[in-house]
Amino acid sequence: MTEKTIRIDIGKDLFGANEEAATENATSFKKHGILAVDIMGSVGTGKTQLIETLCERLSGRHRILMLAGDLATTIDADRVASHGVDTVQINTGTACHLDARMIQVALREVNLSDYDLLFIENVGNLICPAGYSLGAAKKIVVVSVTEGPYMIRKHPLTIKRADLVVINKIDLAQALEFNIESLEEDIREVDSKMPILRVSAKTGVGIEDLMTTLGL
Ligand code: MG
Ligand code: ZN
């Protein structure tokens, strides 16, 4: 197990170059037979726990690398590394999202031939991560029943760009009197064909479905 931390200072001219770098990343992942999954969602939606639960189930049959985007801490990477998974922490400083070039810099720390599955935990926020493609084959948006009923309606663009929406912490829905059907309706209003999974990363409910949907 290796655990690394790098710090990236971003410039202002990155947005234009991002798509190009994302395409390079996608090509590189394909060349190495890596499924890359970009996991987006606000702070506290359970992105890290979702990755941990997936790693518990998958580390026996996949060689997993996790890139953890965070402003300053290594908390998430440490949690995932505790499952024996290699991690690279990307501390973005002031940037509230990852971009494709940060992924390139982080991947210089590893040998891509050692992996076939890459989880990228994006910085916790549901707004700008969606605007920066990383070159991942799958983009998951994680929302949580703890966020209240308006998350989807307030972030339609993020949902539009996702490949899959995970509604996490469904084990808490009843206690919070949360209307999951209504949230799903909001998602379908943005994209009628969007795959939606009800998951509890904590109890494991829905994790098998998520793995199947990702082809894992
Ligand atoms: Mg996290
Ligand atoms: Zn941002």
Side-chain angles (χ1 to χ4, degrees):
M1 177 177 92
T2 64
E3 197 177 350
K4 294 184 175 127
T5 296
I6 57 167
R7 213 206 118 90
I8 291 174
D9 295 309
I10 59 154
K12 285 200 167 67
D13 58 342
L14 280 175
F15 192 73
N18 189 69
E19 284 304 314
E20 201 179 317
T23 304
E24 288 170 12
N25 291 348
T27 304
S28 176
F29 296 145
K30 204 168 183 185
K31 189 178 115 195
H32 290 92
I34 294 173
L35 174 67
V37 183
D38 178 8
I39 299 166
M40 294 174 275
S42 306
V43 173
T45 51
K47 298 183 296 300
T48 311
Q49 190 163 38
L50 189 69
I51 294 170
E52 289 184 88
T53 305
L54 286 167
C55 287
E56 278 171 19
R57 308 275 180 109
L58 292 166
S59 57
R61 48 194 162 103
H62 287 281
R63 298 169 301 148
I64 306 172
L65 173 67
M66 183 242 194
L67 302 185
D70 194 88
L71 298 181
T73 79
T74 63
I75 295 168
D76 296 344
D78 293 344
R79 281 172 57 185
V80 174
S82 75
H83 297 273
V85 169
D86 290 352
T87 66
V88 180
Q89 177 71 46
I90 305 173
N91 284 147
T92 57
T94 55
C96 49
H97 57 270
L98 292 175
D99 67 39
R101 197 193 63 121
M102 294 178 194
I103 301 301
Q104 291 184 334
V105 174
L107 292 178
R108 283 183 205 144
E109 304 296 317
V110 301
N111 184 353
L112 277 184
S113 310
D114 292 343
Y115 307 101
D116 59 54
L117 180 57
L118 170 63
F119 291 124
I120 304 169
E121 180 173 346
N122 219 308
V123 179
N125 115 46
L126 203 54
I127 302 167
C128 42
Y132 291 83
S133 176
L134 306 179
K138 298 279 182 197
K139 289 185 204 168
I140 300 180
V141 169
V142 182
V143 295
S144 160
V145 303
T146 55
E147 295 182 290
Y150 309 119
M151 283 308 288
I152 304 300
R153 278 185 263 170
K154 288 183 176 178
H155 303 94
L157 190 63
T158 302
I159 299 301
K160 206 169 267 176
R161 290 182 173 158
D163 297 304
L164 168 66
V165 177
V166 166
I167 302 175
N168 194 22
K169 305 193 186 182
I170 58 157
D171 53 302
L172 299 176
Q174 202 174 6
L176 295 169
E177 297 180 10
F178 188 88
N179 188 336
I180 301 180
E181 285 78 15
S182 158
L183 193 76
E184 289 176 339
E185 268 170 39
D186 289 347
I187 297 168
R188 297 234 155 80
E189 203 141 296
V190 177
D191 182 342
S192 61
K193 296 198 176 97
M194 180 64 68
I196 304 169
L197 293 175
R198 297 183 183 190
V199 169
S200 169
K202 188 177 163 194
T203 67
V205 169
I207 292 294
E208 292 291 330
D209 289 342
L210 175 57
M211 293 183 333
T212 304
T213 306
L214 292 172
L216 295 167

